[in-house]
């Protein structure tokens, strides 16, 4: 049997304490409000009865008050009202109190315990809330009502409070223990998944129950992090393999030329031939650094950027290149502002334009369209080149990937990868489509305002 952990017990105790405080407070507030209501009603009834007897005294004299009190206490039951008319010394004249209460020595509203004489002559102990007044200098009048309900209510409140606290404590402990155990079970599962993930099981994920509670939200967040880490690791492996392949070929050729130069009478021609390979190496290294900078861009570096101006500037830059290649370049923009890094967004646009013009044959056309839609900004670069087959489009977005038709062209295979990274860090997406014929690249970015 596995004993509860200290954390689970602490959680259960805290929940129980909170539940007990809430229950006790609710019952106490209800009790106080009920007592106040009973006292207010009793005092109002006593005041009305007292006022009536005072008016009778003023109109008809003390004998009329004695008759009224005698008729009230003569009913064959213990009346709700308590009466006592006494002389100046406190000796009873009429009423159902055996004597003047010792607790009352002045006029006003008081609560006291006393003995009451019933119509059958029995004497019982009751609690009374009464008002006393002076009727002239020779008589005192006490009018009250039975307030045993207050004592009964107090006793029942104490009993209800005790039972409620016991029940709340038991339920609170069980619920608190269950809830704490559930949280600890999630932490245990998360810790185990993290350990397996660190051990190399990159496909490890936390289970999502589907309840939509905070544990599910946290599991989704952790799973998203695991997925991103797995993607980065796979991308790093692919990039390392591709980079090694792309660097090995030109380095091997350079090494061969150096060996030939040692035997050749014309080393200058060998150096010239090696220059293009060195340029390719430097281009690959520069593109790799650009990709690394793109993926490490932080949101704190973002500022409002006029994307339309970036697109127009890129169009002006590539217009001579397109003319030299015999490609018609069309730029269409609308006012568009987003948050981001201007240089990185500029790299995104120039990479897409460079690819489109590079792979579009003479006589073709490249169309760049920037527009707004319901979700934000949409940048579309469409060409009439060979395009990319639907089953190869995801592969074309990977790092250092150059599809067979593009092997003849210069490049490192990182142009689209940099564009994808730039779109992702700006909260957008990059998708490839069919332009029939040619390729369509659609970049969706959030809009500012």
């Amino acid at each position: 049997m596995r004993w509860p952990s200290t954390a689970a017990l602490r959680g259960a105790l805290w929940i129980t304490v909170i539940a007990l405080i809430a229950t006790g407070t609710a019952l106490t507030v209800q009790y106080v409000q009920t007592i106040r209501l009973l006292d207010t009603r009793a005092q109002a009834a006593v005041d009305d009865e007292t006022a009536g007897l005072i008016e009778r005294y003023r109109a008809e004299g003390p004998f009329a008050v004695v008759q009224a009190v005698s008729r009230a206490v003569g009913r064959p039951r213990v009346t709700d009202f308590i009466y006592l008319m006494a002389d100046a010394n406190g000796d009873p004249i009429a009423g159902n109190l055996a004597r003047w209460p010792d607790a009352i020595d002045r006029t006003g509203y008081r609560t006291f315990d006393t003995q009451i004489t019933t119509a059958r002559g029995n004497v019982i102990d009751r609690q009374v809330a009464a008002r006393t007044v002076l009727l002239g200098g020779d008589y005192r009048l006490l009018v009250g009502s039975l307030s045993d309900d207050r004592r009964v209510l107090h006793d029942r409140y104490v009993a209800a409070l005790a039972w409620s606290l016991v029940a709340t404590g038991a339920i609170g402990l069980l619920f608190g223990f269950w809830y704490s155990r559930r949280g600890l079970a999630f932490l245990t599962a998360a810790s185990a998944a993290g350990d397996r993930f660190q051990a190399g099981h990159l496909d490890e994920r936390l289970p999502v129950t589907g309840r939509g509670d905070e544990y599910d939200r946290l599991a989704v967040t952790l799973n998203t992090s695991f997925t991103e880490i797995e993607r980065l690791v796979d991308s790093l492996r692919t990039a390392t393999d591709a980079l090694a392949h792309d660097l090995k070929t030109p380095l091997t050729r350079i090494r061969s030329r150096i060996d030939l130069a040692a035997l050749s009478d014309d080393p200058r021609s060998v150096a010239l031939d090696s220059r293009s390979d060195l340029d390719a190496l430097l281009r690959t290294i520069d593109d790799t650094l650009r990709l690394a900078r793109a993926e490490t861009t932080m949101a704190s570096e973002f500022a409002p950027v006029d994307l339309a101006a970036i697109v127009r500037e890129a169009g002006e830059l590539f217009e001579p290149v397109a003319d030299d290649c015999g490609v018609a370049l069309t730029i269409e923009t609308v006012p568009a502002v987003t948050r981001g890094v201007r240089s990185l967004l500029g790299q995104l646009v120039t990479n897409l334009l460079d690819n489109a013009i590079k792979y579009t044959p003479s006589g073709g056309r490249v169309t760049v369209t920037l527009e707004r839609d319901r979700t934000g900004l949409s940048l579309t670069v469409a060409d009439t080149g060979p395009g990319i087959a639907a089953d190869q489009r995801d592969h074309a977005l990977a790092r250092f990937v150059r599809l067979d038709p593009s092997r003849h062209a210069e490049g490192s295979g990182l142009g689209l990868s940099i564009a994808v990274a730039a779109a992702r860090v700006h909260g957008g997406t990059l998708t490839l489509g069919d332009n029939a014929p040619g390729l369509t690249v659609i970049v969706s970015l959030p809009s500012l305002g």
Side-chain angles (χ1 to χ4, degrees):
M1 178 178 179
R2 186 176 179 182
W3 290 98
S5 65
T6 303
L9 290 177
R10 281 201 304 267
L13 288 175
W14 273 112
I15 293 177
T16 302
V17 169
I18 293 173
L20 290 176
I21 293 175
T23 302
T25 302
L27 289 176
T28 301
V29 169
Q30 184 178 8
Y31 168 73
V32 171
Q33 291 177 343
T34 303
I35 287 295
R36 287 180 178 176
L37 178 62
L38 292 177
D39 287 347
T40 300
R41 289 182 175 179
Q43 185 172 351
V46 168
D47 288 344
D48 289 342
E49 186 70 12
T50 303
L53 293 175
I54 291 174
E55 289 297 325
R56 184 180 292 272
Y57 173 81
R58 291 174 178 173
E60 302 178 23
F63 184 72
V65 176
V66 171
Q67 288 181 330
V69 169
S70 299
R71 284 195 300 270
V73 300
R75 300 186 186 117
R77 62 181 181 87
V78 177
T79 61
D80 291 335
F81 283 99
I82 305 301
Y83 304 92
L84 178 61
M85 185 174 181
D87 58 18
N89 297 323
D91 296 329
I93 299 175
N96 50 4
L97 285 181
R99 58 188 179 84
W100 189 266
D102 295 334
I104 298 180
D105 55 359
R106 61 182 186 277
T107 59
Y109 192 81
R110 297 288 185 276
T111 300
F112 58 91
D113 294 329
T114 188
Q115 293 181 333
I116 299 176
T117 303
T118 66
R120 298 180 180 181
N122 299 323
V123 179
I124 56 176
D125 295 327
R126 302 297 295 268
Q127 186 178 67
V128 178
R131 178 174 296 281
T132 58
V133 294
L134 294 178
L135 299 177
D138 298 329
Y139 301 100
R140 300 181 188 178
L141 177 64
L142 182 148
V143 180
S145 65
L146 299 178
S147 61
D148 296 300
D149 292 342
R150 182 171 182 173
R151 178 182 296 172
V152 173
L153 180 62
H154 177 270
D155 294 340
R156 291 183 178 179
Y157 161 74
V158 173
L161 179 62
W163 283 108
S164 298
L165 293 180
V166 171
T168 302
I171 296 174
L173 282 173
L174 293 175
F175 176 77
F177 177 72
W178 170 81
Y179 193 79
S180 299
R181 288 287 294 175
R182 183 183 172 213
L184 292 175
F186 175 82
L187 293 178
T188 301
S191 179
D195 291 339
R196 290 191 294 269
F197 191 86
Q198 290 181 349
H201 299 278
L202 300 184
D203 59 345
E204 187 68 33
R205 298 294 183 270
L206 288 174
V208 179
T209 62
R211 297 189 183 98
D213 55 12
E214 61 275 11
Y215 296 112
D216 274 0
R217 293 195 295 272
L218 182 56
V220 170
T221 301
L222 292 176
N223 288 341
T224 302
S225 301
F226 287 162
T227 302
E228 181 66 13
I229 294 173
E230 182 182 16
R231 184 193 67 79
L232 291 174
V233 172
D234 290 341
S235 178
L236 180 60
R237 289 172 179 170
T238 303
T240 303
D241 294 341
L243 183 60
H245 178 270
D246 286 354
L247 294 181
K248 182 178 180 180
T249 300
L251 287 175
T252 301
R253 288 199 298 263
I254 293 172
R255 174 63 184 271
S256 300
R257 292 192 184 101
I258 292 175
D259 292 340
L260 292 174
L263 303 175
S264 174
D265 295 333
D266 187 13
R268 178 180 176 84
S269 62
V270 176
L272 292 175
D273 292 337
S274 300
R275 183 172 182 176
S276 60
D277 289 329
L278 291 174
D279 289 340
L281 290 175
L282 290 174
R283 186 164 49 251
T284 300
I285 293 172
D286 288 341
D287 288 343
T288 304
L289 292 175
R290 289 192 187 97
L291 179 60
R293 284 194 294 268
E295 291 191 328
T296 57
T297 301
M298 304 297 291
S300 58
E301 305 176 34
F302 287 4
V305 178
D306 186 353
L307 187 59
I310 293 177
V311 173
R312 289 193 298 269
E313 292 172 4
E316 294 173 359
L317 177 65
F318 279 90
E319 187 173 3
V321 179
D323 290 340
D324 292 341
C325 296
V327 175
L329 177 61
T330 304
I331 305 292
E332 298 178 0
T333 64
V334 297
V337 180
T338 186
R339 283 188 60 83
V341 179
R342 197 178 197 281
S343 60
L344 189 54
L345 291 172
Q347 186 71 48
L348 181 152
V349 176
T350 55
N351 281 10
L352 297 181
L353 269 176
D354 180 59
N355 279 351
I357 295 174
K358 183 186 301 183
Y359 299 118
T360 299
S362 179
R365 67 179 183 277
V366 174
T367 304
V368 181
T369 306
L370 177 61
E371 56 188 359
R372 301 171 66 94
D373 54 27
R374 292 179 298 175
T375 59
L377 304 179
S378 177
L379 173 65
T380 303
V381 179
D383 62 58
T384 57
I388 300 176
D391 58 348
Q392 292 184 322
R393 287 170 188 163
D394 290 338
H395 182 57
L397 298 178
R399 302 178 182 185
F400 296 101
V401 170
R402 300 177 66 193
L403 302 179
D404 290 339
S406 67
R407 282 295 180 183
H408 67 279
E410 294 182 354
S412 61
L414 289 175
L416 283 178
S417 298
I418 295 174
V420 170
R424 184 172 59 251
V425 299
H426 285 89
T429 58
L430 186 148
T431 56
L432 303 181
D434 189 6
N435 195 36
L439 180 69
T440 299
V441 183
I442 302 174
V443 180
S444 299
L445 294 170
S447 175
L448 181 62

